[in-house]
Amino acid sequence: MLSKKISFILLIWSFWNASSIFAQTRALELKDGEKSWDIGKKEMQVFEDKSRFMTLKKVLAAEEQFKNVSVDVPNYGYSQSAFWAKFQLKNPLNTPQEAWVEVDYPSLDSVGFFVVNAEGETIKKVEAGFLYKFEQRDIKTKNFVFSVHLAPQETLKILLRISSDRNNTFPIKIWKPDTYLNHINNHYIGFGLYYGIMFVMLFYNLFLYTVLRERSYLYYILFIISVVFFLGSFNGYGFQYLWSGLPAFNRFNISLFIAMLAFSGVNFGREFLNTKVRMPKANRVLEIIMLICLVAIVLALVLPNRISIKLSVFMGLPSVITLLYVSFVSLQQGYKPARYFSLAWSVFLLGAFLTAMRSFGWLPHNFVTLYSIQIGSALEVVLLSLALADKISILRKEIADKEVEKERLEKDKEKERREYSEEQNKKLEVLVQERTKILEERNVQVTDSLIYAQRIQQAILPSKNDMIKVFPDIFVYFKPRDLVSGDFYWFAEKDNKAIIAAVDCTGHGVPGAFMSMIGNTLLNQIVLERGITRPAEILNQLEDEIRFALKQDTLEDGNKDGMDVSICVYHQVHNILEFAGANNSLWIVRNGVIDEIKGDRMGIGGDKKENYSPYNNHILKLAKEEAIVYLATDGFADQFGGDKNKKFMASNLKKLLLEISPLSLKAQHLKLNKTMEDWKGENKQLDDQLIIGFKIKADAHRQKIEVSYKEFATRKTEQPHKFTR
């Protein structure tokens, strides 16, 4: 009797063991009217294959080793094991159904999908994963989606084999096909919005960098790019759209981009918080972290992914924490630009922390932990853009405040001096009157001297009548900043050639005037006495003479003054224009088009030139149409003014000259004067201003002597370029 009872118990146990899948978990019924179902702890069992080599057949033979799970979304963190998940799907309807099984974790290395019928036959097998080509997937989406066909009243067993060197998390959900397509489209809209924000911020800051040339923007652009590529790898969109045919890249891309993100973020933080100047010790720590990040970037390419990903995560979080600490310290020290910066990195740290905790299996898999890094990075990018704008605004305000404070201090000092002067006035009234009289006499003497110097300087300037004889249509816009000028214009005729120059000497006022006298005298000697008429050779001779006159090559601390020159020679017979420039250009307007002939980037005189080369000569053969030639110094272009109190700029002067070129030369002169007065407003004139414009007409008498352009251009210069005393 006892033996019969034992036999009965063993029979029951064997039956229980053989049908454990049906007894321990319930089959999920795909009822009509429902669109999706979550596979959770009530429907799923998991078996850990520590060898990673068990086949489906062996797993089915050892089903008793499957265990119930305590959570709806299994998360085994970083593990070298393979995990088998199984559950059942039942079609309670009398019509066939198709269901899609989704594993909502796109960065798994390997996902094997198996469908087993009631007779134990494997009716479907699909291999997919991060280490397989994207085209091998059953349903082409960023997540792993597999289709299952269920006959009426059929129950099928589903097994999934999960293996990954990264986090082993596998949330499973069952969808009806049309419902899933609607779901994934909404998902694409959400991520499209996210990447849209990132790219808008990327191009916005790229634009600001091109305008402001602030290095912080460049480092921030690199940081945004690192974030975009990291999240593109993490959420599967990069594999789906960018490198779907390169699954080997997925072995190291996440750890690589985490290290790049940390490196670019720390580099940006150093620049933004100005730690090199404000916090030298913290700056050294950040430099060490950057070095570690570079090492991590290299190691990500050679180490196994399960090691490099841990290294990158454990290195990335301290990087963010250190940056956050430095920003809070900066904020406590009163560095206002750190406000948005601290908030931005706090948001990003929270998102990264939640993601890391979920990756290691320490937090559950839900919407917050799954998308915290995307939400945090998007908010961070926006906040950091605000931080950069805030920093520039604060710096500008600080500069303005310093100027206001400086002005206030100057006013206070002036008030103190005035009060002191008033107190001492009674005692020193007679002495002050005597000194005032002496100062007035000296001031009159100085002013008279300057006025006399002005007359002398005006006397050496070319006669406008002489210039008009050659160029009937000509204007000279000449506005010295002071009574005497460092700018001057020069004109001469030699051998049927008209030579005209615009010269900008170092300095302005009296020092500039002295240089202008020297320059004028040397030009007269070179052209009128020596007969040099080739523009480049004139500049070469002028260079030698200036350096000799000011002893610039013989004295270690010699004079460093010099001049910028644009000089052109018009051959009246051949209708040819030659030009050479020392730091100055020539503009010529023909047929409504303005061309710029640039001079050499080398002034006359100044510091000793190590690699001096002769000036270049430019030859322009003029056709029979009219041409307007302009020479100018930099005073007009460098004048501050306008709504934003910026320089006028040479590019704007070029546009202005083209705009006014259809006008008469007299009208052009008036237009230039009005434009400068409107631009300057209440600002002081900063430098001497000189612009020469003259019109060239191809008259018949200039064609009497036929000389080919090629023959003219290749003939030798009148004098060797090096003048020997």
Side-chain angles (χ1 to χ4, degrees), residues 423-447:
E423 291 175 358
Q424 299 296 320
N425 188 48
K426 295 180 181 180
K427 298 180 181 179
L428 304 175
E429 184 174 355
V430 176
L431 181 60
V432 169
Q433 290 177 350
E434 292 177 355
R435 290 183 177 179
T436 301
K437 184 177 180 180
I438 294 173
L439 289 174
E440 288 176 350
E441 292 175 353
R442 290 180 179 177
N443 186 50
V444 169
Q445 293 173 359
V446 171
T447 303

Side-chain angles (χ1 to χ4, degrees), residues 452-658:
Y452 191 73
Q454 182 187 42
R455 292 173 182 169
I456 295 174
Q457 189 176 45
Q458 289 175 345
I460 69 170
L461 292 175
S463 167
K464 291 186 179 179
N465 291 331
D466 293 340
M467 298 170 72
I468 291 173
K469 289 178 183 178
V470 179
F471 302 111
D473 292 329
I474 188 171
F475 74 81
V476 178
Y477 174 88
F478 183 49
K479 295 184 68 175
R481 196 197 77 163
D482 304 310
L483 287 175
V484 289
S485 172
D487 287 8
F488 72 96
Y489 56 96
W490 186 87
F491 175 81
E493 282 190 275
K494 184 76 174 179
D495 301 331
N496 289 322
K497 302 171 187 176
I499 304 99
I500 188 167
V503 186
D504 181 3
C505 299
T506 302
H508 36 70
V510 175
F514 273 112
M515 285 297 299
S516 71
M517 298 290 288
I518 296 173
N520 185 83
T521 301
L522 293 178
L523 285 173
N524 287 332
Q525 291 177 359
I526 293 168
V527 177
L528 300 179
E529 296 179 13
R530 300 177 195 168
I532 305 298
T533 59
R534 197 169 182 84
E537 191 59 34
I538 294 172
L539 294 186
N540 292 328
Q541 294 281 335
L542 186 60
E543 163 76 10
D544 293 340
E545 291 291 348
I546 287 291
R547 304 195 73 80
F548 178 82
L550 300 181
K551 299 180 176 59
Q552 292 180 341
D553 293 332
T554 57
L555 300 178
E556 293 184 0
D557 57 347
N559 185 282
K560 306 299 181 184
D561 292 329
M563 57 189 68
D564 296 336
V565 184
S566 55
I567 184 168
C568 63
V569 176
Y570 177 58
H571 296 253
Q572 302 175 54
V573 175
H574 310 305
N575 198 32
I576 290 175
L577 188 71
E578 289 187 87
F579 167 74
N583 273 339
N584 280 349
S585 301
L586 173 145
W587 291 294
I588 182 168
V589 178
R590 292 176 287 191
N591 296 323
V593 178
I594 187 167
D595 294 317
E596 180 179 359
I597 312 301
K598 293 186 177 181
D600 296 290
R601 302 301 297 171
M602 178 175 62
I604 300 294
D607 292 327
K608 186 175 182 180
K609 298 177 175 63
E610 298 293 337
N611 298 314
Y612 170 76
S613 60
Y615 290 91
N616 292 302
N617 205 64
H618 303 272
I619 303 175
L620 288 82
K621 186 174 183 181
L622 304 176
K624 293 185 178 182
E625 71 274 6
E626 290 185 350
I628 303 178
V629 179
Y630 299 98
L631 304 174
T633 60
D634 60 3
F636 197 102
D638 288 347
Q639 178 61 44
F640 279 86
D643 296 336
K644 298 182 180 180
N645 196 30
K646 292 184 176 181
K647 287 185 178 181
F648 190 85
M649 303 302 291
S651 60
N652 290 327
L653 175 57
K654 181 178 178 181
K655 293 178 183 177
L656 177 61
L657 293 176
L658 178 61

Side-chain angles (χ1 to χ4, degrees), residues 52 78 107-110 129-133 163-166 233 239 243 246-257 299-310 312:
R52 302 185 72 168
Y78 293 86
S107 60
L108 295 171
D109 288 345
S110 174
F130 237 30
L131 302 184
Y132 295 83
K133 289 187 177 181
S163 175
S164 182
D165 281 343
R166 286 175 287 272
S233 301
F239 188 38
W243 56 85
L246 299 172
F249 183 54
N250 291 327
R251 292 183 179 273
F252 58 84
N253 58 4
I254 292 181
S255 54
L256 173 67
F257 290 136
L299 293 179
L301 303 175
V302 296
L303 289 179
N305 188 59
R306 57 186 173 81
I307 298 176
S308 63
I309 192 70
K310 291 180 180 180
S312 297

Side-chain angles (χ1 to χ4, degrees), residues 77-357:
Y78 293 86
S79 174
Q80 299 184 49
S81 301
F83 297 90
W84 290 80
K86 71 175 181 177
F87 55 90
Q88 294 180 89
L89 296 181
K90 180 179 179 180
N91 179 13
L93 307 179
N94 295 323
T95 56
Q97 286 198 79
E98 183 176 359
W100 286 4
V101 179
E102 178 194 32
V103 181
D104 187 9
Y105 200 77
S107 60
L108 295 171
D109 288 345
S110 174
V111 179
F113 179 75
F114 308 92
V115 181
V116 180
N117 62 16
E119 288 75 28
E121 299 175 346
T122 303
I123 61 176
K124 184 169 185 176
K125 176 182 177 181
V126 179
E127 292 287 344
F130 237 30
L131 302 184
Y132 295 83
K133 289 187 177 181
F134 189 82
E135 62 186 20
Q136 294 180 225
R137 300 195 177 187
D138 194 17
I139 307 296
K140 305 301 187 291
T141 66
K142 73 179 190 70
N143 291 332
F144 305 105
V145 183
F146 309 93
S147 63
V148 180
H149 182 78
L150 294 98
Q153 301 296 326
E154 183 180 24
T155 299
L156 296 177
K157 185 191 305 180
I158 309 296
L159 288 97
L160 289 162
R161 182 187 182 277
I162 312 296
S163 175
S164 182
D165 281 343
R166 286 175 287 272
N167 182 39
N168 288 275
T169 299
F170 40 95
I172 302 172
K173 194 166 186 175
I174 313 300
W175 296 85
K176 288 191 174 181
D178 55 346
T179 305
Y180 182 77
L181 292 176
N182 291 332
H183 162 76
I184 200 66
N185 286 336
N186 294 332
H187 200 269
Y188 286 152
I189 292 174
F191 272 92
L193 178 62
Y194 169 78
Y195 285 110
I197 293 173
M198 301 299 283
F199 280 108
V200 166
M201 291 295 102
L202 174 64
F203 289 112
Y204 170 70
N205 287 281
L206 181 61
F207 169 75
L208 291 179
Y209 171 72
T210 58
V211 173
L212 301 176
R213 294 295 175 181
E214 175 69 28
R215 284 191 302 176
S216 298
Y217 285 100
L218 179 61
Y219 296 145
Y220 185 47
I221 290 168
L222 297 177
F223 173 73
I224 295 177
I225 293 174
S226 300
V227 172
V228 169
F229 274 96
F230 161 64
L231 291 176
S233 301
F234 184 74
N235 57 39
Y237 283 108
F239 188 38
Q240 181 176 359
Y241 293 109
L242 299 180
W243 56 85
S244 57
L246 299 172
F249 183 54
N250 291 327
R251 292 183 179 273
F252 58 84
N253 58 4
I254 292 181
S255 54
L256 173 67
F257 290 136
I258 290 176
M260 290 176 61
L261 187 154
F263 174 80
S264 57
V266 171
N267 199 12
F268 166 67
R270 288 176 61 247
E271 181 68 22
F272 183 89
L273 297 174
N274 196 20
T275 56
K276 187 175 182 180
V277 176
R278 298 178 53 260
M279 304 173 67
K281 292 183 178 179
N283 185 69
R284 285 194 289 271
V285 173
L286 293 175
E287 288 177 341
I288 293 172
I289 292 176
M290 287 177 60
L291 179 62
I292 296 174
C293 291
L294 287 175
V295 173
I297 291 174
V298 176
L299 293 179
L301 303 175
V302 296
L303 289 179
N305 188 59
R306 57 186 173 81
I307 298 176
S308 63
I309 192 70
K310 291 180 180 180
L311 175 63
S312 297
V313 171
F314 278 113
M315 174 274 304
L317 286 176
S319 301
V320 177
I321 293 172
T322 304
L323 271 180
L324 194 58
Y325 171 77
V326 173
S327 68
F328 279 128
V329 173
S330 299
L331 196 58
Q332 290 178 349
Q333 293 176 350
Y335 189 63
K336 292 182 179 180
R339 295 177 300 179
Y340 285 109
F341 187 89
S342 301
L343 180 59
W345 282 103
S346 298
V347 172
F348 182 78
L349 176 61
L350 178 60
F353 179 78
L354 293 177
T355 300
M357 295 302 99

